[in-house]
Amino acid sequence: MKIAIGADHGGYRLKEEIKEFLVNEGYKVSDFGTDSEASVDYPDIAYPLAKAVSKGEFERGILICGTGIGMSLVANKVKGIRAALCSDVYSARHSVLHNNANVLALGGRVLGPGLAKEIVDAWLKEKFSEGERHIRRVNKILDLEKGWKDE
Ligand code: RB5
């Protein structure tokens, strides 16, 4: 599975830990930056990553900022992206099972690396598979996007 990962300065350290974990698990990982703890603006990382996921260049994306909030807000502006901000394994699993989330947002100043890795691991292993009612609901999200202008 090809994964895109990105972070701002608030998520940089956790990104490096998650990236190493993913590579060790055998995932193909592309890093959208940032590459230090110098201050950057989270939309500049989140938007290109979300576009790449929406175009099908990656199956899933992981975005990390201080809280995960800015990253999730930006990613959800992109057509076809369902970004879920998660701080626990149950929500992460159900963001895929029920919502078909294709981007996971994490808070680098919220989560320790151990829990973050468990969340990422559970999220990547889950599949959108819990039935017709969830397909119907996600299709209603897709309907809402139909009025959006394509770039
Ligand atoms: C940066 O200080 C911080 O605002 C950012 O990482 C993120 O938490 C925004 O949502």
Side-chain angles (χ1 to χ4, degrees), residues 111-151:
L111 298 168
L115 175 56
K117 284 176 207 169
E118 287 194 16
I119 290 171
V120 166
D121 189 46
W123 185 72
L124 288 173
K125 284 178 177 154
E126 209 56 84
K127 287 195 167 50
F128 183 47
S129 59
E130 278 208 345
E132 194 278 327
R133 69 189 186 284
H134 297 298
I135 294 170
R136 183 180 69 240
R137 290 164 189 163
V138 171
N139 281 340
K140 289 188 178 186
I141 300 176
L142 299 179
D143 285 345
L144 292 172
E145 293 177 351
K146 281 187 182 147
W148 292 13
K149 212 173 70 183
D150 283 320
E151 287 182 16

Side-chain angles (χ1 to χ4, degrees), residues 8-11 39-40 42 64-71 73 109:
D8 74 354
H9 52 290
S39 183
V40 292
Y42 56 82
I64 311 169
C65 61
T67 58
I69 295 171
M71 290 298 198
L73 292 176
R109 295 173 181 156

